[in-house]
Amino acid sequence: MASARDRVLDAYETLLIEHGAGAVTLDAVAAAASVSKGGLLYHFASKDALATGLLDRLRERSAADADAIRAAPDGAVAYYVRTSAPGGGVPGGVTRTYLAVLRLADGTTSGQAVRDALAVVDADAYAALREELDDPVLAWLAQLVGDGLYLRTLTGTPLPPGLHVEDLLERMRRYPLASRD
């Protein structure tokens, strides 16, 4: 069973995703998490503290995902591209947390704090890809491919008809972008 703190963050993510930052109140988060407002304030003393908690969660999940990228048996690039694609299923909830954090950029939380957290996510993935690809430009290109697929995942946009991630990886294998498959 999830801790009260995790339930609060889960509820906060849901409300941000479904309604945007402007519609989220501490009362709404407490109700959605099935905790009292005092229980919420025990873990997060303010709306800013709640946002900071979500940014911390994103960094933690990103670090875990970077470890998974590094440990992927079929290589970092193939893992990154596959899990970035619609239906690819990045483990550990990082996709949901990432989307909620993007919604924070529209709200009252400091835009700089959001940009800083997203920069950590970006740097984690790039560092993991660089361990497989010696060329920094190729690592960045692989990251951009994954990022484009991830945008489709976040927006619910499917891949073009008849195209599959494996087709993309096969084409990338012709170049030194996904060599370990």
Side-chain angles (χ1 to χ4, degrees), residues 37-48:
K37 188 169 181 182
L40 181 148
L41 293 172
Y42 173 79
H43 295 286
F44 303 101
S46 67
K47 205 169 174 183
D48 284 343

Side-chain angles (χ1 to χ4, degrees), residues 34 39 41 53-54 58 66 82 91 93-94 97 115-117 120 122-123 132-133 152:
S34 299
L41 293 172
L54 186 62
L58 178 64
R82 283 187 185 118
V94 70
T97 304
R115 286 188 296 278
D116 290 347
V120 168
D122 185 69
E132 181 173 312
L133 297 169
R152 287 179 172 273

Side-chain angles (χ1 to χ4, degrees), residues 73-79 82 132 166 169-170 173 178-181:
D74 58 344
V77 173
Y79 175 92
R82 283 187 185 118
E132 181 173 312
E166 293 307 315
L169 284 170
E170 180 57 38
R173 283 185 197 100
S179 58
R180 291 201 342 193
D181 267 341

Side-chain angles (χ1 to χ4, degrees), residues 146-159:
D147 290 351
L149 291 168
Y150 197 62
L151 178 62
R152 287 179 172 273
T153 297
L154 292 174
T155 61
T157 306
L159 296 175

Side-chain angles (χ1 to χ4, degrees), residues 58-59 61-71 75-81 83-84 90 94 98 117-133 136 138-147 150:
L58 178 64
R59 288 194 246 339
R61 288 180 169 179
S62 172
D65 188 48
D67 289 343
I69 292 169
R70 287 181 180 94
V77 173
Y79 175 92
Y80 190 74
V81 169
T83 59
S84 296
V90 177
V94 70
Y98 193 95
L118 295 176
V120 168
V121 172
D122 185 69
D124 284 348
Y126 179 74
L129 291 167
R130 281 286 285 134
E131 289 179 18
E132 181 173 312
L133 297 169
L138 292 179
W140 188 40
L141 285 170
Q143 186 174 23
L144 291 172
V145 168
D147 290 351
Y150 197 62

Side-chain angles (χ1 to χ4, degrees), residues 1-18 29 32-33 44 50 54 57 61 92-93 96-97 100:
M1 181 159 99
S3 70
R5 184 180 193 283
D6 283 332
R7 287 197 326 269
V8 167
L9 287 172
D10 291 344
Y12 187 43
E13 283 181 3
T14 298
L15 291 170
L16 284 168
I17 292 166
E18 293 178 359
V29 173
F44 303 101
L50 187 57
L54 186 62
R57 176 186 254 193
R61 288 180 169 179
R96 180 178 158 77
T97 304

